[in-house]
Amino acid sequence: MGVTLRLEDIRHEYPPTEESGAVQALSEVDLQIDSGDFAVLMGPSGSGKSTLLNVIGAVDRPTGGTLHFGDRDIAAADSRELTLLRRKRIGFVFQFFHLIPTFTVRENVAFPLHLLKEKASDIAPRVAAILAEIGLTERASHYPNELSGGEMQRVAIARAVIHEPDLILADEPTGNLDTKTGDTILELIREIHLRRRPTIVMATHSERTAAYGDYVIDVLDGSAARR
Ligand code: ADP
């Protein structure tokens, strides 16, 4: 597991809207994140962290530069390739969980494997194993609105790792949780990192949260540099 990310002169510009001109959200970003690293993006709101996560996660194609995901330059890839890369090799964790409200816990966790067209008979035991790992077996048939915030984030983490991605991206994963619950979520992310060794990139504006990673990349006004 794991993947090395190499960003060279990455730029990202949002096009102008009726309300505002074009926004240069990233400019001249040069970074290398090695396979198995747990890197933390830190910077104030509006500095470009989410844009950088979306570019690294093949959600948005950068408007300039090269971005090697392993040996592939994904800045030049077409949408179909980016979609496949996201489904197979990346797991996302969000501040507001983004669980599917009409799906049970079990169905939410299984969803990435259905997208990959895995067999139902293979999916069930994998989902059961990961629910046991995160301690939510007895919640398997519950719906997201029956869970606490911490439980919802555990389910979202299970969904992010069920397909054994090489890269896990987390955008303020504890931003909507109290400090104590947040710490248990960060410990879970750290355990997953130790056990499976994916590359992890996590964005936060909290030093306390950042301390869980291996190192910090400071993001400011669209620039990024390792601390
Ligand atoms: P952060 O995650 O650090 O809060 P963002 O990456 O969300 O920062 O934003 C960086 C800059 O890009 C900000 O100036 C923000 O207003 C702008 N921005 C973010 N998303 C969009 C968008 N979809 N369209 C236009 N501008 C955007």
Side-chain angles (χ1 to χ4, degrees):
M1 256 204 206
V3 62
T4 294
L5 304 167
R6 271 192 299 120
L7 288 73
E8 281 169 28
D9 195 21
I10 284 292
R11 281 156 280 140
H12 196 67
E13 182 179 287
Y14 291 106
T17 61
E18 284 179 15
E19 296 87 53
S20 66
V23 176
Q24 191 71 38
L26 296 175
S27 51
E28 298 171 36
V29 173
D30 292 306
L31 279 179
Q32 174 156 336
I33 298 171
D34 287 321
S35 182
D37 282 0
F38 183 170
V40 179
L41 305 180
M42 277 205 84
S45 182
S47 57
K49 302 182 299 296
S50 300
T51 303
L52 188 52
L53 282 181
N54 286 340
V55 164
I56 292 173
V59 175
D60 283 337
R61 212 189 326 255
T63 49
T66 58
L67 199 176
H68 280 92
F69 188 104
D71 53 14
R72 203 62 201 123
D73 177 11
I74 63 166
D78 64 24
S79 310
R80 194 171 158 276
E81 185 183 348
L82 295 182
T83 301
L84 284 177
L85 180 90
R86 279 199 308 276
R87 286 183 183 169
K88 282 190 185 160
R89 301 192 60 190
I90 304 177
F92 292 89
V93 181
F94 303 96
Q95 179 174 357
F96 295 103
F97 324 126
H98 289 200
L99 298 176
I100 300 171
T102 55
F103 280 13
T104 62
V105 164
R106 184 186 288 115
E107 289 163 347
N108 267 283
V109 174
F111 189 59
L113 298 180
H114 285 292
L115 285 180
L116 291 171
K117 305 206 167 29
E118 306 249 350
K119 278 190 288 185
S121 57
D122 293 337
I123 292 175
R126 286 172 69 178
V127 171
I130 206 150
L131 288 178
E133 185 181 342
I134 62 164
L136 283 180
T137 301
E138 64 292 5
R139 292 267 189 266
S141 301
H142 288 230
Y143 288 89
N145 68 4
E146 300 169 321
L147 305 178
S148 69
E151 287 171 336
M152 282 193 266
Q153 197 60 303
R154 296 179 94 76
V155 173
I157 289 170
R159 178 183 59 182
V161 302
I162 186 82
H163 56 307
E164 301 188 356
D166 292 304
L167 174 64
I168 296 173
L169 299 175
D171 197 353
E172 297 280 5
T174 62
N176 196 38
L177 302 172
D178 63 73
T179 306
K180 190 156 157 270
T181 308
D183 284 347
T184 65
I185 290 299
L186 291 163
E187 267 149 33
L188 176 61
I189 293 173
R190 182 153 64 189
E191 275 168 33
I192 284 167
H193 182 239
L194 287 174
R195 237 177 264 152
R196 297 176 168 80
R197 281 282 154 192
T199 305
I200 300 182
V201 185
M202 173 174 79
T204 182
H205 56 257
S206 144
E207 289 283 354
R208 181 189 176 89
T209 302
Y212 283 82
D214 297 332
Y215 57 85
V216 169
I217 294 166
D218 286 306
V219 183
L220 195 63
D221 295 335
S223 296
R226 189 152 158 181
R227 191 180 282 179

